[in-house]
Amino acid sequence: MNRVKVAVFQEAKNGNNECGDSYFYRETENEFICALADGLGSGEFAKESSKIVIDIIKENYHSPVEELVKKCNEKLIGKRGTVLAILKIDYRSNNYSISSIGNVGVMTITGGNTRKRSVPNAGYLAGFNRKFKVVQEPLENEMNFVMYTDGVTSKELTERYFYEKDVERITKNFALKSKEKRKDDTTLIAIQYKHN
Ligand SMILES: [Mn+2]
């Protein structure tokens, strides 16, 4: 057990108190799950929706990704929409699954220092049925994942420090380079997977 290390950077827009992004991660004997949600808009109301979604995932984290997305969607009827990304690493099948709906990103960094951003499904979750894909890929013995909300810019994602293996170094470097107030709620989750 304990194949995963996680480090998180989170900051609210313009130094606000409440960040509209919510996240959750957990490692169990057989799997690791991380979910990141960004409520549409910012602040308190955005937080309400992103928190609803993350609470559902907390309660049902053992469910397959597809089921989780569906459950989250159902709970958002009559609420503000949210965008969501889920990463699940399955230690038994040696695969990982990613699904992102809307503007929450997942980037993988594999052994040969290859960065790849997963293609998100269009739109957002807001209670109505929508089609979405779950992408499944084989796990490498060592690889990193980065999950981020749209407060993180594309330019920032090209920085060299994303090649660091140590997740603390990634989030610390990111923090150092974001001295100015963030223009949007920002969450950056760095995840290192290593097969023992
Ligand atoms: Mn946002």
Side-chain angles (χ1 to χ4, degrees):
M1 225 177 111
N2 220 292
R3 304 185 189 188
V4 170
K5 290 198 176 81
V6 180
V8 182
F9 172 93
Q10 186 170 64
E11 201 176 293
K13 175 185 178 176
N14 297 330
N16 291 348
N17 287 328
E18 190 88 88
C19 175
D21 304 342
S22 303
Y23 65 90
F24 163 76
Y25 63 86
R26 177 167 296 169
E27 185 180 26
T28 58
E29 197 181 339
N30 297 318
E31 63 178 7
F32 170 81
I33 183 170
C34 184
L36 175 59
D38 177 356
L40 299 184
S42 64
E44 201 183 322
F45 290 107
K47 184 78 186 183
E48 190 198 2
S49 285
S50 70
K51 193 177 174 298
I52 288 171
V53 161
I54 292 302
D55 285 346
I56 297 289
I57 293 170
K58 265 185 206 169
E59 287 159 24
N60 302 278
Y61 65 88
H62 46 81
S63 302
V65 172
E66 195 166 355
E67 220 175 292
L68 289 173
V69 174
K70 283 183 182 158
K71 278 195 175 121
C72 291
N73 202 23
E74 282 163 22
K75 287 282 173 179
L76 286 173
I77 295 171
K79 303 279 181 195
R80 236 184 229 214
T82 180
V83 293
L84 169 72
I86 303 176
L87 163 71
K88 212 176 229 251
I89 305 177
D90 186 339
Y91 299 169
R92 287 167 299 187
S93 70
N94 255 331
N95 286 310
Y96 64 89
S97 307
I98 293 171
S99 191
S100 69
I101 295 93
N103 215 359
V104 186
V106 186
M107 182 166 76
T108 56
I109 304 106
T110 46
N113 274 358
T114 308
R115 300 182 211 207
K116 199 174 118 196
R117 291 199 217 171
S118 78
V119 180
N121 295 278
Y124 55 91
L125 297 178
F128 46 85
N129 275 330
R130 64 167 47 257
K131 287 213 173 95
F132 62 92
K133 274 193 298 190
V134 180
V135 176
Q136 198 180 70
E137 298 273 357
L139 203 49
E140 297 194 0
N141 275 337
E142 276 187 60
M143 62 186 296
N144 279 21
F145 300 86
V146 176
M147 298 175 74
Y148 48 92
T149 56
D150 59 355
V152 179
T153 65
S154 287
K155 189 168 176 287
E156 284 173 318
L157 289 167
T158 64
E159 297 279 0
R160 287 193 59 82
Y161 58 78
F162 281 101
Y163 289 135
E164 298 273 2
K165 297 279 175 270
D166 179 350
V167 287
E168 297 282 345
R169 289 182 72 129
I170 296 171
T171 51
K172 276 178 188 153
N173 269 295
F174 184 85
L176 274 174
K177 305 230 166 153
S178 39
K179 287 262 163 58
E180 285 165 39
K181 294 222 183 334
R182 307 291 310 182
K183 292 190 183 73
D184 196 354
D185 292 338
T186 301
T187 307
L188 179 86
I189 306 176
I191 298 157
Q192 183 191 30
Y193 171 82
K194 202 172 178 181
H195 184 88
N196 299 317

